[in-house]
Protein backbone atom coordinates (compact mmCIF):
# COMPACT_ATOMS: atom_id res chain seq x y z
CA UNK A 1 0.00 0.00 0.00
CA UNK A 2 1.37 3.41 -0.96
CA UNK A 3 1.20 6.11 1.67
CA UNK A 4 0.77 9.72 0.70
CA UNK A 5 3.82 11.92 1.25
CA UNK A 6 4.13 13.64 4.64
CA UNK A 7 3.81 17.32 3.99
CA UNK A 8 5.19 18.30 7.38
CA UNK A 9 8.30 16.17 6.90
CA UNK A 10 8.91 17.62 3.43
CA UNK A 11 8.47 21.12 4.75
CA UNK A 12 11.04 20.47 7.55
CA UNK A 13 13.63 19.10 5.11
CA UNK A 14 13.20 22.08 2.85
CA UNK A 15 13.62 24.48 5.72
CA UNK A 16 16.72 22.56 6.99
CA UNK A 17 18.35 22.73 3.58
CA UNK A 18 17.49 26.40 3.29
CA UNK A 19 19.23 27.14 6.59
CA UNK A 20 22.39 25.30 5.55
CA UNK A 21 21.77 22.22 7.65
CA UNK A 22 23.71 19.93 5.34
CA UNK A 23 26.86 22.03 5.74
CA UNK A 24 26.44 22.19 9.53
CA UNK A 25 26.07 18.42 9.78
CA UNK A 26 29.21 17.89 7.72
CA UNK A 27 31.15 20.36 9.90
CA UNK A 28 30.07 18.68 13.13
CA UNK A 29 31.02 15.25 11.83
CA UNK A 30 34.44 16.55 10.75
CA UNK A 31 35.18 18.04 14.21
CA UNK A 32 34.12 14.87 15.99
CA UNK A 33 36.62 12.92 13.89
CA UNK A 34 39.35 15.46 14.77
CA UNK A 35 38.63 15.16 18.52
CA UNK A 36 38.80 11.35 18.39
CA UNK A 37 42.11 11.50 16.49
CA UNK A 38 43.56 14.04 18.96
CA UNK A 39 42.54 11.87 21.93
CA UNK A 40 44.40 8.84 20.60
CA UNK A 41 47.44 10.99 19.67
CA UNK A 42 47.80 12.49 23.17
CA UNK A 43 47.69 9.20 24.99
CA UNK A 44 50.16 7.60 22.58
CA UNK A 45 52.58 10.59 22.85
CA UNK A 46 52.78 11.03 26.68
CA UNK A 47 54.98 8.33 28.24
CA UNK A 48 53.25 6.03 30.62
CA UNK A 49 55.68 6.92 33.43
CA UNK A 50 54.76 10.59 33.26
CA UNK A 51 51.07 9.76 33.42
CA UNK A 52 51.66 7.78 36.58
CA UNK A 53 54.03 10.33 38.16
CA UNK A 54 52.74 11.95 41.36
CA UNK A 55 53.04 15.74 41.32
CA UNK A 56 53.63 17.26 44.75
CA UNK A 57 52.55 20.86 45.13
CA UNK A 58 53.44 21.06 48.84
CA UNK A 59 55.69 24.10 49.52
CA UNK A 60 58.97 23.63 51.35
CA UNK A 61 58.06 26.02 54.14
CA UNK A 62 56.80 24.96 57.55
CA UNK A 63 58.02 21.85 59.26
CA UNK A 64 58.80 19.41 56.43
CA UNK A 65 61.54 18.96 53.87
CA UNK A 66 64.35 16.74 52.71
CA UNK A 67 67.29 16.79 55.16
CA UNK A 68 69.65 16.45 52.19
CA UNK A 69 68.83 20.04 51.28
CA UNK A 70 70.04 21.46 54.63
CA UNK A 71 73.27 22.99 53.38
CA UNK A 72 71.59 24.67 50.41
CA UNK A 73 68.81 26.09 52.58
CA UNK A 74 71.28 27.43 55.15
CA UNK A 75 73.07 29.34 52.37
CA UNK A 76 69.73 30.67 51.14
CA UNK A 77 68.79 31.73 54.67
CA UNK A 78 72.05 33.64 55.05
CA UNK A 79 71.39 35.50 51.80
CA UNK A 80 67.86 36.33 52.93
CA UNK A 81 69.23 37.66 56.21
CA UNK A 82 71.71 39.84 54.35
CA UNK A 83 69.15 41.40 52.00
CA UNK A 84 69.08 45.15 52.52
CA UNK A 85 65.67 46.80 52.37
CA UNK A 86 66.09 50.01 54.30
CA UNK A 87 64.16 53.21 54.20
CA UNK A 88 65.94 56.53 54.70
CA UNK A 89 65.26 59.73 56.51
CA UNK A 90 65.30 62.98 54.61
CA UNK A 91 68.17 65.04 55.97
CA UNK A 92 70.08 67.61 53.99
CA UNK A 93 73.14 66.18 52.18
CA UNK A 94 72.96 62.89 54.10
CA UNK A 95 69.80 61.19 52.83
CA UNK A 96 71.79 58.52 51.00
CA UNK A 97 73.73 57.59 54.12
CA UNK A 98 71.14 57.23 56.83
CA UNK A 99 68.52 54.49 57.05
CA UNK A 100 65.72 55.08 59.48
CA UNK A 101 62.20 53.93 60.17
CA UNK A 102 59.25 54.65 57.99
CA UNK A 103 56.92 57.38 59.29
CA UNK A 104 54.81 56.23 62.19
CA UNK A 105 52.43 57.70 64.67
CA UNK A 106 54.21 58.63 67.89
CA UNK A 107 53.06 56.43 70.73
CA UNK A 108 54.50 55.03 73.96
CA UNK A 109 56.37 51.73 73.84
CA UNK A 110 53.76 49.84 75.78
CA UNK A 111 51.03 50.48 73.20
CA UNK A 112 49.92 47.83 70.68
CA UNK A 113 52.10 47.41 67.61
CA UNK A 114 52.13 45.79 64.23
CA UNK A 115 54.21 42.63 64.12
CA UNK A 116 55.10 42.88 60.42
CA UNK A 117 58.81 43.58 60.78
CA UNK A 118 59.55 41.43 63.76
CA UNK A 119 57.62 38.35 62.69
CA UNK A 120 59.19 38.18 59.24
CA UNK A 121 61.90 35.84 60.30
CA UNK A 122 64.34 33.71 58.40
CA UNK A 123 65.19 31.00 60.86
CA UNK A 124 64.72 31.06 64.59
CA UNK A 125 66.33 27.87 65.65
CA UNK A 126 64.68 24.94 63.91
CA UNK A 127 66.66 21.97 62.73
CA UNK A 128 65.86 21.19 59.13
CA UNK A 129 64.96 22.63 55.81
CA UNK A 130 61.47 24.04 56.28
CA UNK A 131 60.61 27.65 56.90
CA UNK A 132 58.58 27.64 60.10
CA UNK A 133 59.11 27.04 63.79
CA UNK A 134 57.22 23.78 63.17
CA UNK A 135 57.11 20.68 65.21
CA UNK A 136 58.49 18.83 62.17
CA UNK A 137 61.88 19.50 60.65
CA UNK A 138 61.48 23.25 60.30
CA UNK A 139 64.43 25.59 60.13
CA UNK A 140 62.97 28.36 62.20
CA UNK A 141 60.27 30.93 61.81
CA UNK A 142 58.70 31.14 58.38
CA UNK A 143 55.49 31.50 56.48
CA UNK A 144 53.95 28.38 57.98
CA UNK A 145 52.60 27.27 54.61
CA UNK A 146 54.19 23.84 54.88
CA UNK A 147 53.31 20.96 57.13
CA UNK A 148 54.68 22.53 60.30
CA UNK A 149 53.58 25.46 62.39
CA UNK A 150 54.74 28.80 60.98
CA UNK A 151 55.30 32.17 62.62
CA UNK A 152 56.05 35.20 60.51
CA UNK A 153 56.42 35.60 56.77
CA UNK A 154 59.91 34.38 56.05
CA UNK A 155 62.29 37.34 55.97
CA UNK A 156 64.77 37.27 58.85
CA UNK A 157 65.25 36.59 62.54
CA UNK A 158 65.95 39.61 64.77
CA UNK A 159 67.86 37.52 67.34
CA UNK A 160 70.30 35.88 64.94
CA UNK A 161 70.84 33.08 62.45
CA UNK A 162 71.38 29.39 63.11
CA UNK A 163 74.49 29.19 60.88
CA UNK A 164 77.65 29.45 63.03
CA UNK A 165 79.97 29.80 60.01
CA UNK A 166 79.90 33.57 59.80
CA UNK A 167 81.22 36.71 61.44
CA UNK A 168 78.66 37.02 64.23
CA UNK A 169 78.36 37.15 68.00
CA UNK A 170 77.29 33.90 69.67
CA UNK A 171 74.02 34.24 71.59
CA UNK A 172 73.19 32.13 74.65
CA UNK A 173 69.68 32.30 76.09
CA UNK A 174 68.77 31.79 79.77
CA UNK A 175 65.13 31.21 80.70
CA UNK A 176 64.75 32.70 84.18
CA UNK A 177 61.28 31.20 84.58
CA UNK A 178 62.78 27.69 84.63
CA UNK A 179 65.33 25.96 86.81
CA UNK A 180 68.31 24.24 85.21
CA UNK A 181 66.39 20.93 85.30
CA UNK A 182 63.45 22.47 83.44
CA UNK A 183 61.09 22.81 86.38
CA UNK A 184 59.09 26.02 86.86
CA UNK A 185 60.90 28.65 88.92
CA UNK A 186 59.08 31.35 90.85
CA UNK A 187 61.21 34.29 89.68
CA UNK A 188 60.21 37.73 90.97
CA UNK A 189 61.01 41.08 89.43
CA UNK A 190 63.42 41.95 92.25
CA UNK A 191 65.21 38.60 91.84
CA UNK A 192 65.64 39.22 88.12
CA UNK A 193 67.22 42.64 88.70
CA UNK A 194 69.56 41.42 91.45
CA UNK A 195 70.71 38.58 89.18
CA UNK A 196 71.55 41.06 86.41
CA UNK A 197 73.49 43.21 88.91
CA UNK A 198 75.52 40.22 90.12
CA UNK A 199 76.24 38.99 86.63
CA UNK A 200 77.48 42.34 85.25
CA UNK A 201 79.46 43.35 88.34
CA UNK A 202 81.04 39.96 89.07
CA UNK A 203 82.87 39.26 85.83
CA UNK A 204 80.06 38.20 83.46
CA UNK A 205 80.59 34.62 84.62
CA UNK A 206 78.03 32.20 83.18
CA UNK A 207 78.29 30.12 86.37
CA UNK A 208 76.22 32.82 88.07
CA UNK A 209 73.34 31.78 85.81
CA UNK A 210 73.76 28.04 86.34
CA UNK A 211 70.56 27.74 88.40
CA UNK A 212 68.50 28.69 85.36
CA UNK A 213 67.63 26.82 82.20
CA UNK A 214 70.13 27.44 79.39
CA UNK A 215 68.71 26.87 75.91
CA UNK A 216 70.45 24.27 73.76
CA UNK A 217 69.94 26.44 70.67
CA UNK A 218 72.59 29.04 69.82
CA UNK A 219 71.95 31.96 67.50
CA UNK A 220 74.53 34.13 65.75
CA UNK A 221 73.99 37.89 65.51
CA UNK A 222 76.03 40.37 63.39
CA UNK A 223 74.39 43.48 64.91
CA UNK A 224 72.05 44.39 67.76
CA UNK A 225 69.12 46.31 66.32
CA UNK A 226 65.77 45.30 67.77
CA UNK A 227 63.00 47.90 67.40
CA UNK A 228 59.95 47.32 69.56
CA UNK A 229 58.73 43.69 69.49
CA UNK A 230 56.93 41.25 71.80
CA UNK A 231 59.08 39.96 74.64
CA UNK A 232 57.89 36.43 73.81
CA UNK A 233 59.76 36.42 70.49
CA UNK A 234 63.10 35.80 72.24
CA UNK A 235 62.17 32.53 74.01
CA UNK A 236 60.46 31.29 70.85
CA UNK A 237 63.59 32.07 68.87
CA UNK A 238 65.60 29.78 71.15
CA UNK A 239 62.89 27.08 71.21
CA UNK A 240 61.87 27.79 74.79
CA UNK A 241 58.48 27.63 76.46
CA UNK A 242 56.60 30.91 76.22
CA UNK A 243 55.35 32.10 79.60
CA UNK A 244 52.69 34.78 80.14
CA UNK A 245 55.27 36.93 81.96
CA UNK A 246 58.65 36.12 80.43
CA UNK A 247 61.87 36.56 82.38
CA UNK A 248 65.00 35.99 80.34
CA UNK A 249 68.63 37.02 79.87
CA UNK A 250 70.49 36.76 76.56
CA UNK A 251 74.27 37.06 76.36
CA UNK A 252 76.11 37.62 73.07
CA UNK A 253 79.87 36.99 73.09
CA UNK A 254 82.73 37.14 70.65
CA UNK A 255 86.24 38.48 69.98
CA UNK A 256 86.46 41.29 67.42
CA UNK A 257 89.22 43.02 65.45
CA UNK A 258 89.28 46.81 65.61
CA UNK A 259 88.79 48.21 62.07
CA UNK A 260 90.93 51.29 62.86
CA UNK A 261 92.85 52.90 65.69
CA UNK A 262 91.14 55.56 67.75
CA UNK A 263 88.82 56.31 70.64
CA UNK A 264 85.24 55.07 70.51
CA UNK A 265 82.14 54.88 72.68
CA UNK A 266 78.95 52.88 72.43
CA UNK A 267 75.57 54.54 71.92
CA UNK A 268 72.40 52.65 72.70
CA UNK A 269 69.44 51.81 74.90
CA UNK A 270 67.55 48.74 76.04
CA UNK A 271 64.23 47.71 77.54
CA UNK A 272 64.75 46.40 80.14
CA UNK A 273 68.56 45.93 80.02
CA UNK A 274 71.42 46.66 77.63
CA UNK A 275 74.95 46.42 79.03
CA UNK A 276 78.29 45.97 77.23
CA UNK A 277 81.64 44.63 78.42
CA UNK A 278 84.55 45.43 76.08
CA UNK A 279 88.13 44.27 76.64
CA UNK A 280 87.07 42.96 80.10
CA UNK A 281 85.68 46.33 81.21
CA UNK A 282 82.07 47.45 81.61
CA UNK A 283 81.77 50.29 79.12
CA UNK A 284 78.02 50.72 78.57
CA UNK A 285 74.76 50.39 80.51
CA UNK A 286 71.51 52.18 79.65
CA UNK A 287 67.94 50.97 80.02
CA UNK A 288 64.98 50.78 82.36
CA UNK A 289 67.06 48.61 84.69
CA UNK A 290 70.81 49.25 84.76
CA UNK A 291 72.90 46.53 86.40
CA UNK A 292 75.86 48.84 87.05
CA UNK A 293 73.72 50.76 89.52
CA UNK A 294 72.07 53.69 87.78
CA UNK A 295 68.28 53.65 87.92
CA UNK A 296 66.55 55.40 85.05
CA UNK A 297 63.49 57.61 85.63
CA UNK A 298 61.22 54.88 84.30
CA UNK A 299 62.47 52.20 86.74
CA UNK A 300 60.09 50.96 89.49
CA UNK A 301 60.41 52.73 92.85
CA UNK A 302 60.86 49.40 94.67
CA UNK A 303 64.30 49.03 93.07
CA UNK A 304 65.59 52.30 94.50
CA UNK A 305 66.39 50.76 97.90
CA UNK A 306 70.14 50.82 98.81
CA UNK A 307 70.39 47.01 98.88
CA UNK A 308 69.43 46.93 95.20
CA UNK A 309 72.18 49.29 94.09
CA UNK A 310 75.37 48.08 92.40
CA UNK A 311 78.91 48.94 93.49
CA UNK A 312 79.58 51.60 90.89
CA UNK A 313 78.01 53.51 88.03
CA UNK A 314 78.98 53.94 84.40
CA UNK A 315 78.87 57.67 83.62
CA UNK A 316 76.79 58.81 80.66
CA UNK A 317 78.58 61.37 78.52
CA UNK A 318 75.53 62.38 76.47
CA UNK A 319 71.91 61.56 75.72
CA UNK A 320 70.75 61.49 72.08
CA UNK A 321 67.10 61.79 71.07
CA UNK A 322 65.72 60.89 67.63
CA UNK A 323 62.28 61.23 66.04
CA UNK A 324 62.02 57.42 65.84
CA UNK A 325 62.86 56.70 69.52
CA UNK A 326 59.76 58.16 71.16
CA UNK A 327 59.63 55.80 74.14
CA UNK A 328 63.31 56.07 74.98
CA UNK A 329 63.16 59.85 74.65
CA UNK A 330 60.24 60.02 77.07
CA UNK A 331 61.31 57.48 79.70
CA UNK A 332 65.12 57.22 79.44
CA UNK A 333 66.03 60.69 78.22
CA UNK A 334 66.99 59.16 74.87
CA UNK A 335 69.84 56.88 73.85
CA UNK A 336 72.98 57.19 75.96
CA UNK A 337 76.61 57.50 74.93
CA UNK A 338 78.93 55.59 77.25
CA UNK A 339 82.51 56.36 78.30
CA UNK A 340 85.26 56.32 75.69
CA UNK A 341 87.71 53.44 75.21
CA UNK A 342 90.76 53.20 72.99
CA UNK A 343 91.61 50.52 70.42
CA UNK A 344 94.40 49.79 67.93
CA UNK A 345 93.71 48.71 64.38
CA UNK A 346 94.07 44.96 63.84
CA UNK A 347 94.15 44.11 67.57
CA UNK A 348 91.71 41.61 69.05
CA UNK A 349 89.24 42.55 71.79
CA UNK A 350 86.69 40.39 73.62
CA UNK A 351 83.16 41.78 73.76
CA UNK A 352 80.10 40.69 75.74
CA UNK A 353 76.60 42.13 75.35
CA UNK A 354 73.73 41.53 77.76
CA UNK A 355 70.07 42.14 76.94
CA UNK A 356 67.33 41.09 79.34
CA UNK A 357 63.60 41.29 79.91
CA UNK A 358 61.45 40.84 82.98
CA UNK A 359 57.68 40.52 83.01
CA UNK A 360 57.10 43.08 80.25
CA UNK A 361 54.98 42.60 77.17
CA UNK A 362 57.38 44.39 74.77
CA UNK A 363 61.13 44.57 74.28
CA UNK A 364 63.58 46.75 72.35
CA UNK A 365 67.36 47.30 72.13
CA UNK A 366 69.84 48.92 69.75
CA UNK A 367 73.63 49.32 69.87
CA UNK A 368 75.53 51.89 67.80
CA UNK A 369 79.15 53.07 68.06
CA UNK A 370 80.64 56.55 67.82
CA UNK A 371 84.22 57.53 67.05
CA UNK A 372 85.40 60.35 69.29
CA UNK A 373 86.25 63.45 67.26
CA UNK A 374 84.57 62.27 64.04
CA UNK A 375 82.09 64.50 62.24
CA UNK A 376 78.62 62.99 61.77
CA UNK A 377 75.45 64.25 60.11
CA UNK A 378 72.73 65.45 62.44
CA UNK A 379 69.17 64.28 62.93
CA UNK A 380 66.50 66.98 62.93
CA UNK A 381 66.64 66.78 66.74
CA UNK A 382 70.31 67.83 66.59
CA UNK A 383 71.66 64.43 67.72
CA UNK A 384 74.48 62.91 65.64
CA UNK A 385 73.63 59.96 63.39
CA UNK A 386 76.41 57.48 64.17
CA UNK A 387 77.40 54.04 62.75
CA UNK A 388 75.69 50.81 63.65
CA UNK A 389 77.95 48.44 65.60
CA UNK A 390 78.21 45.41 63.32
CA UNK A 391 80.50 42.42 62.80
CA UNK A 392 79.59 41.65 59.17
CA UNK A 393 78.82 43.54 55.96
CA UNK A 394 75.06 43.42 56.41
CA UNK A 395 72.38 45.66 57.86
CA UNK A 396 68.94 45.16 59.40
CA UNK A 397 65.78 45.21 57.35
CA UNK A 398 63.84 48.45 57.13
CA UNK A 399 62.62 49.02 60.71
CA UNK A 400 59.01 49.57 61.67
CA UNK A 401 57.69 50.89 64.95
CA UNK A 402 59.21 52.77 67.84
CA UNK A 403 62.79 52.69 69.13
CA UNK A 404 64.39 52.30 65.70
CA UNK A 405 67.19 54.89 65.67
CA UNK A 406 68.79 56.06 62.40
CA UNK A 407 72.38 55.01 61.67
CA UNK A 408 75.02 55.51 59.00
CA UNK A 409 75.30 53.09 56.13
CA UNK A 410 79.02 53.79 56.18
CA UNK A 411 79.48 51.70 59.32
CA UNK A 412 82.88 50.04 59.93
CA UNK A 413 82.93 46.28 60.48
CA UNK A 414 84.35 44.90 63.76
CA UNK A 415 84.94 41.46 62.33
CA UNK A 416 84.66 38.39 64.56
CA UNK A 417 87.88 36.36 64.88
CA UNK A 418 86.79 34.04 67.68
CA UNK A 419 83.37 32.81 68.71
CA UNK A 420 82.78 32.48 72.45
CA UNK A 421 80.03 31.22 74.71
CA UNK A 422 81.93 31.77 77.97
CA UNK A 423 84.20 34.41 79.49
Amino acid sequence: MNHPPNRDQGSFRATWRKLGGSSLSASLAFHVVLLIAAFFWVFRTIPEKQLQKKVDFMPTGGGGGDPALLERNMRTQHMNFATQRMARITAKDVDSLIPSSEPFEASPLKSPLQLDAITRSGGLGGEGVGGGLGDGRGKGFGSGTGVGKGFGSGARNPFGMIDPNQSALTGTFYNLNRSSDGSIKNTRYEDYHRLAVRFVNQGWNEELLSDYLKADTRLYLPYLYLPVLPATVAPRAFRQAVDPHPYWMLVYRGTVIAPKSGRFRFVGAGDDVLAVRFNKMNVFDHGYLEPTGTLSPGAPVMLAAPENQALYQIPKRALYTYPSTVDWNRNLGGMAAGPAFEVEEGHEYPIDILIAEGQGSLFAAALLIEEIGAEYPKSRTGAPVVPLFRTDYIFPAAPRGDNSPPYLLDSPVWKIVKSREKI
Side-chain angles (χ1 to χ4, degrees):
M1 181 182 293
N2 294 327
H3 294 279
N6 190 329
R7 295 183 180 179
D8 292 337
Q9 183 177 5
S11 175
F12 173 78
R13 290 177 179 174
T15 304
W16 178 254
R17 286 195 299 270
K18 184 177 181 180
L19 294 175
S22 299
S23 300
L24 178 61
S25 300
S27 177
L28 289 175
F30 177 74
H31 283 85
V32 168
V33 172
L34 282 180
L35 287 175
I36 295 174
F39 177 81
F40 283 103
W41 179 83
V42 167
F43 277 87
R44 281 195 304 181
T45 303
I46 300 177
E48 182 179 357
K49 291 184 179 180
Q50 290 191 10
L51 292 175
Q52 296 176 353
K53 181 179 178 180
K54 180 182 178 181
V55 181
D56 186 5
F57 293 97
M58 179 67 71
T60 59
D66 183 0
L69 299 178
L70 176 58
E71 182 178 355
R72 187 183 71 185
N73 279 269
M74 290 179 70
R75 289 197 299 269
T76 302
Q77 183 190 17
H78 193 153
M79 288 188 291
N80 288 340
F81 189 91
T83 303
Q84 300 182 20
R85 295 185 292 105
M86 294 165 291
R88 286 147 187 192
I89 65 174
T90 55
K92 184 178 180 180
D93 298 328
V94 298
D95 57 320
S96 63
L97 296 177
I98 309 168
S100 182
S101 62
E102 298 177 0
F104 64 96
E105 181 180 356
S107 59
L109 178 63
K110 300 305 179 184
S111 63
L113 75 161
Q114 293 182 347
L115 304 183
D116 179 55
I118 55 91
T119 60
R120 293 176 302 169
S121 150
L124 291 191
E127 298 171 347
V129 296
L133 180 66
D135 48 7
R137 294 185 299 240
K139 192 177 181 180
F141 285 85
S143 63
T145 56
V147 296
K149 298 176 181 178
F151 182 84
S153 58
R156 69 182 65 180
N157 170 13
F159 288 94
M161 296 173 285
I162 64 173
D163 183 5
N165 301 314
Q166 58 190 355
S167 182
L169 301 166
T170 302
T172 304
F173 182 87
Y174 295 89
N175 189 342
L176 306 185
N177 279 327
R178 306 278 172 168
S179 299
S180 56
D181 61 1
S183 59
I184 297 177
K185 197 173 184 67
N186 186 25
T187 300
R188 300 175 303 167
Y189 198 70
E190 299 92 327
D191 300 331
Y192 150 72
H193 185 231
R194 291 193 185 99
L195 179 64
V197 169
R198 287 182 59 206
F199 180 75
V200 168
N201 291 288
Q202 296 182 23
W204 294 63
N205 190 338
E206 61 277 359
E207 292 299 323
L208 296 172
L209 306 177
S210 60
D211 289 340
Y212 300 91
L213 182 62
K214 180 170 70 173
D216 294 330
T217 300
R218 300 289 181 273
L219 294 179
Y220 303 91
L221 192 72
Y223 49 73
L224 182 64
Y225 193 83
L226 302 169
V228 62
L229 51 81
T232 54
V233 172
R236 287 184 179 183
F238 288 86
R239 304 185 68 81
Q240 292 294 296
V242 179
D243 301 296
H245 303 291
Y247 285 93
W248 51 262
M249 293 175 63
L250 178 50
V251 185
Y252 290 100
R253 300 185 191 267
T255 301
V256 298
I257 296 180
K260 61 186 298 186
S261 299
R263 298 178 69 239
F264 295 84
R265 63 182 180 182
F266 287 109
V267 176
D271 170 15
D272 296 329
V273 175
L274 172 59
V276 181
R277 183 177 189 245
F278 187 86
N279 199 22
K280 300 181 180 180
M281 295 180 59
N282 290 334
V283 296
F284 184 83
D285 184 13
H286 185 61
Y288 280 87
L289 299 179
E290 300 182 344
T292 59
T294 303
L295 285 174
S296 298
V301 177
M302 64 181 178
L303 295 174
E307 63 269 18
N308 290 328
Q309 298 298 297
L311 301 176
Y312 65 95
Q313 298 180 0
I314 294 179
K316 294 180 177 62
R317 307 298 181 185
L319 289 172
Y320 298 154
T321 61
Y322 301 99
S324 55
T325 57
V326 176
D327 170 72
W328 289 339
N329 299 344
R330 179 186 298 119
N331 295 313
L332 301 179
M335 299 180 70
F341 54 90
E342 192 165 350
V343 298
E344 294 184 28
E345 182 178 359
H347 283 218
E348 299 180 3
Y349 299 93
I351 182 172
D352 307 276
I353 300 173
L354 170 67
I355 57 176
E357 172 64 31
Q359 201 174 15
S361 59
L362 301 178
F363 172 80
L367 187 64
L368 313 178
I369 191 166
E370 178 181 10
E371 183 179 2
I372 305 299
E375 292 292 331
Y376 294 111
K378 297 293 194 296
S379 166
R380 61 185 172 89
T381 60
V385 178
V386 302
L388 177 72
F389 179 75
R390 58 176 182 159
T391 63
D392 205 347
Y393 294 93
I394 53 180
F395 288 102
R400 298 177 186 270
D402 198 9
N403 293 344
S404 54
Y407 56 83
L408 288 183
L409 285 178
D410 187 18
S411 300
V413 173
W414 297 68
K415 192 170 181 62
I416 294 285
V417 291
K418 295 178 184 176
S419 61
R420 295 189 299 112
E421 297 183 16
K422 300 181 179 180
I423 56 173

